[in-house]
């Protein structure tokens, strides 16, 4: 019993890191420009399909195609910004919601049209296998994904806090007008935020493909979980998203363990409601 | 205004005459679906379009209406008409329970909260054995009668029932638009702080608008349950259904009486036609077309197609 419990905690922790990585791009874009990307989970789906097809067509393992997938998603993020987000940056919130929702529907429709609703999975990857620590088994793909998520989140944080470009990005988030007077092109910074925000989802998708099914709706639950993580961590807070990702991962597995696996997602959603009602600014968010 | 009234009478006359001219099941079915979605769209428009509270959880009311009807009919043999009433009561209760905490949230927070509530409802019904869980509920086949709300030989009675519901929804929305409540709701959408400073109880009017929205949607749920005679969680409460209601309103025009009507007349035939002509090969094509349509509309014409008919000026 105790072994199962520890096993549960470990798997919650591992998936939590990945949730944090998925959420980091969402919180970054929100923090910078006050736009919620409802299609966030569906970019994850796109990344997973790219990973899958790199494997199916060229035999490339998801781990090796990760840089390529990340780069493609980076480009997709920039493209999304210039094509769709720039025109609505000052539009009423209703328009903003509908545009990113439109992207969500479009990506799901496209995936359904191109690849049908089949579930696809890569049967054997270079990471397949387990390691055993006492009674606890840890899947190597999950472990790699968690490690990758920690590294990637660390890189994003380092970029934002320690590099000139990252600081310029934060300056625009802080005060667009003042940043403009300092000679920072806010337009380019927004594009960069979208590029990085979507690229992090690319990394997450590539890591996820090693141990998870790919199907057109795969982004739905991950996208919702990302909202919960962002709300819990505080909209716009990167360290908050990191802490919240782990909490959400643990809540998910614990409610699955204690109450029933079919209800684990429900408790994640209840967590969101509890957070926005009781502490709308989240754990580390600014009000 | 007089012109508008004449147009409305001609439009309704055409709807009344339609099934008498087209007697095949397919055109009748298409028009039934159009009116069903137009009525639900009107329901969504009252909270989303007029009051500006984007709800992605309205399908929950549809589901509550459908399930209340089905459970009462299957387990207690109670007529669906009473089930419709009970569904409305439960839907309003749900609207109040959800609305009370959620309406304090703004913008994105509210929209995501409604998604969360909708998904929780979906999960509850998917795991609730009494309500058929994931399998759903098959309605018992009863003799055809108005009281039983079942008609097997022809779609005609269903057609006229949904026509009445549809016209009633238009009527409710017409009164809402002109009532004090309607003005308050638009004020809440345009400038919540200003509305509050004028002494409008924002919470209260949002709740009333949400309850009206819930009632209309719930009645549509009852109709759907009796029309299809089989319901399950994903056919009645899916997030995609809530999204479709928003799409319908956005296409036609947010906060416009005939917005959802136009939206449904564009949306439903396209869905049905892609299904018929492209079959399973074309799965997803309709979604791609709408999504492009709503992105273009949201960027260039947030007033929707209605504005094109009425030469509406850009905001």
């Amino acid at each position: 019993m105790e072994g199962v419990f520890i096993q549960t905690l470990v798997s919650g922790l591992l998936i939590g890191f990945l949730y944090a990585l998925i959420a980091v791009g969402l919180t970054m874009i929100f923090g910078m420009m006050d736009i919620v990307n409802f299609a966030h989970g569906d970019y994850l789906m796109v990344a997973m399909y790219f990973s899958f097809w790199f494997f199916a067509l060229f035999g490339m393992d998801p781990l090796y195609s990760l840089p390529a997938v990340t780069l493609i998603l980076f480009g997709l993020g920039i493209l999304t910004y210039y094509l769709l987000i720039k025109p609505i940056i000052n539009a009423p919130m209703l328009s903003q919601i509908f545009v990113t929702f439109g992207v969500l529907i479009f990506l799901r429709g496209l995936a359904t049209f191109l690849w049908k609703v089949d579930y696809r999975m890569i049967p054997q990857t270079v990471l397949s296998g387990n390691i055993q620590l006492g009674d606890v088994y840890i899947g190597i793909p999950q472990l790699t994904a968690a490690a990758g998520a920690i590294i990637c989140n660390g890189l994003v944080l380092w970029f934002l806090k320690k590099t000139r470009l990252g600081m310029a990005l934060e300056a625009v988030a802080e005060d667009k007008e003042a940043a403009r007077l300092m000679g920072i092109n806010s337009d380019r910074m927004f594009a960069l935020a979208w590029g990085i925000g979507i690229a992090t989802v690319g990394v997450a998708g590539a890591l996820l493909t090693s141990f998870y099914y790919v199907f057109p709706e795969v982004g739905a639950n991950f996208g919702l979980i990302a909202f919960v993580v962002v709300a819990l961590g505080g909209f716009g807070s990167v360290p908050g998203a990191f802490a919240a990702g782990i909490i959400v991962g643990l809540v998910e597995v614990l409610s699955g363990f204690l109450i029933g696996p079919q209800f684990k997602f429900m408790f994640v959603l209840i967590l969101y409601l509890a957070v926005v009602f009781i502490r709308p600014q989240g754990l580390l968010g600014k009000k | 205004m007089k012109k508008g009234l004449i147009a409305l009478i001609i439009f309704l006359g055409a709807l009344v005459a339609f099934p008498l001219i087209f007697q095949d099941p397919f055109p009748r079915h298409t028009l039934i679906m159009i009116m069903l979605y137009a009525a639900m769209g009107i329901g969504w428009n009252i909270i989303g379009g007029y009051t500006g509270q984007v709800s992605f959880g309205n399908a929950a009311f549809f589901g509550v209406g459908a399930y209340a009807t089905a459970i009462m009919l299957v387990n207690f043999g109670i007529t669906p008409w009473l089930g419709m009433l009970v569904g409305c009561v439960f839907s309003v209760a749900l609207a109040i329970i959800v609305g009370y905490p959620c309406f304090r949230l703004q913008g994105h927070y509210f929209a995501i909260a409604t998604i969360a509530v909708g998904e929780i409802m979906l999960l509850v019904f998917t795991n609730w054995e009494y309500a058929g869980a994931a399998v759903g509920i098959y309605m018992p086949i009863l003799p055809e009668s108005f009281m039983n709300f079942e008609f097997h030989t022809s779609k005609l009675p269903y057609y006229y029932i949904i026509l009445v519901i549809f016209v009633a929804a238009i009527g409710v929305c017409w009164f809402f638009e002109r009532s004090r409540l309607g003005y308050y709701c638009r004020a809440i959408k345009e400038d919540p702080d200003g509305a509050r400073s004028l002494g409008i109880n924002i919470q209260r009017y949002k709740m009333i608008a949400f309850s009206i929205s819930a009632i209309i949607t719930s009645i549509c749920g009852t109709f759907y349950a009796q029309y299809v005679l089989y319901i399950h969680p994903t056919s009645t409460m899916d997030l995609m259904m809530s999204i479709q209601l928003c799409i319908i309103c956005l296409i036609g025009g947010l906060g416009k009486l005939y917005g959802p009507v136009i939206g449904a007349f564009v949306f439903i035939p396209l869905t049905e036609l892609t299904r018929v002509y492209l079959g399973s090969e074309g799965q997803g094509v309709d979604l791609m077309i709408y999504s492009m349509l709503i992105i273009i509309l949201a960027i260039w014409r947030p007033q929707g197609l209605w504005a094109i008919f009425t030469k509406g000026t850009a905001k």
Side-chain angles (χ1 to χ4, degrees), chain A residues 30 34-36 38 83-85 87-88 91-114 116-117 217 221 224 227-228 231 235 262-263 265-267 269-270 272-273 276-278 280-281, chain B residues 44 48-49 52-54 56 98 101-102 104-117 119-120 123-124 127 189 238-240 243 246-247 250 254 280-285 287-292 294-295 298-300 302 315:
Chain A
F30 181 89
D34 222 17
I35 287 179
V36 170
F38 279 97
L83 210 60
L84 303 173
I85 306 303
I88 50 147
M93 198 196 64
L94 222 54
S95 305
Q96 297 175 345
I97 290 181
F98 280 122
V99 167
T100 60
F101 236 101
V103 176
L104 173 155
I105 299 167
F106 181 81
L107 291 178
R108 275 186 213 176
L110 185 69
T112 311
F113 175 64
L114 291 177
K116 305 295 161 251
V117 288
E217 299 264 320
N221 279 9
L224 272 177
F227 288 134
V228 180
F235 276 86
Q262 68 271 38
F263 292 114
F265 189 51
M266 194 162 99
F267 281 88
L269 295 171
I270 290 171
Y272 170 82
L273 294 176
V276 292
F277 295 152
I278 297 163
Q281 73 272 36
Chain B
W44 190 89
Q53 307 298 309
V54 179
F56 287 122
V98 169
C102 286
R104 288 185 302 148
L105 307 173
Q106 284 183 344
H108 313 301
Y109 295 85
F110 177 78
I112 300 169
T114 60
I115 297 180
V117 169
E119 291 292 293
I120 289 171
L123 284 167
V124 166
N127 292 294
K189 177 190 180 180
D238 201 38
L239 174 62
M240 210 55 203
I243 295 173
C246 318
I247 296 177
L250 186 77
L254 291 170
S280 64
E281 283 303 298
Q283 243 185 339
V285 171
L287 294 180
M288 284 155 70
I289 296 171
Y290 301 127
S291 57
M292 284 192 274
I294 61 172
I295 289 171
I299 293 177
W300 302 112
K315 227 188 250 172

Side-chain angles (χ1 to χ4, degrees), chain B residues 23-269:
Chain B
Q23 304 205 333
D24 292 335
F26 182 68
R28 285 180 176 179
H29 168 75
T30 306
L31 221 44
I32 287 172
M33 293 313 278
I34 289 173
M35 289 191 285
L36 178 68
Y37 272 83
M40 280 199 284
I42 290 168
W44 190 89
N45 209 15
I46 285 176
I47 186 69
Y50 289 98
T51 322
Q53 307 298 309
V54 179
S55 159
F56 287 122
N58 261 34
F61 302 128
F62 186 78
V64 167
Y67 269 96
T69 308
I71 288 172
M72 287 177 65
L73 180 63
V74 171
N75 293 329
F76 309 109
I78 294 169
T79 167
W81 295 102
L82 206 61
M84 182 184 272
L85 206 67
V86 172
C88 288
V89 172
F90 276 109
S91 289
V92 170
L94 180 66
I96 290 169
I97 293 167
V98 169
Y100 184 74
C102 286
F103 281 134
R104 288 185 302 148
L105 307 173
Q106 284 183 344
H108 313 301
Y109 295 85
F110 177 78
I112 300 169
T114 60
I115 297 180
V117 169
E119 291 292 293
I120 289 171
M121 289 293 287
L122 181 67
L123 284 167
V124 166
F125 276 87
T126 310
N127 292 294
W128 190 16
E129 289 299 331
Y130 183 69
V135 180
I137 301 177
Y138 287 91
M139 302 293 191
I141 302 299
L142 301 172
E144 277 195 12
S145 83
F146 184 73
M147 266 322 267
N148 285 343
F149 206 143
E150 282 188 26
F151 311 96
H152 310 296
T153 43
S154 159
K155 288 183 190 296
L156 201 63
Y158 285 120
Y159 183 95
Y160 285 116
I161 290 172
I162 192 66
L163 180 62
V164 170
I165 294 172
F166 169 64
V167 173
I170 291 181
V172 167
C173 193
W174 190 86
F175 276 111
F176 171 83
E177 237 185 11
R178 279 155 189 77
S179 68
R180 189 177 285 251
L181 172 66
Y183 285 105
Y184 286 166
C185 285
R186 269 170 285 183
I188 290 168
K189 177 190 180 180
E190 296 300 330
D191 182 3
D193 294 326
R196 189 181 288 121
S197 70
L198 290 174
I200 296 175
N201 186 340
I202 294 188
Q203 274 281 38
R204 188 174 154 198
Y205 289 105
K206 281 180 183 173
M207 298 272 258
I208 295 174
F210 203 32
S211 300
I212 296 172
S213 179
I215 289 172
I216 295 174
T217 317
S218 179
I219 290 173
C220 291
T222 298
F223 175 83
Y224 177 84
Q226 292 306 120
Y227 179 58
V228 181
L229 295 175
Y230 167 55
I231 56 169
H232 60 102
T234 30
S235 76
T236 52
M237 295 193 185
D238 201 38
L239 174 62
M240 210 55 203
M241 176 179 250
S242 296
I243 295 173
Q244 281 168 349
L245 300 181
C246 318
I247 296 177
I248 282 171
C249 291
L250 186 77
I251 291 175
L254 291 170
K256 296 281 176 291
L257 179 56
Y258 297 112
V261 182
I262 294 168
F265 267 91
V266 175
F267 183 87
I268 300 298

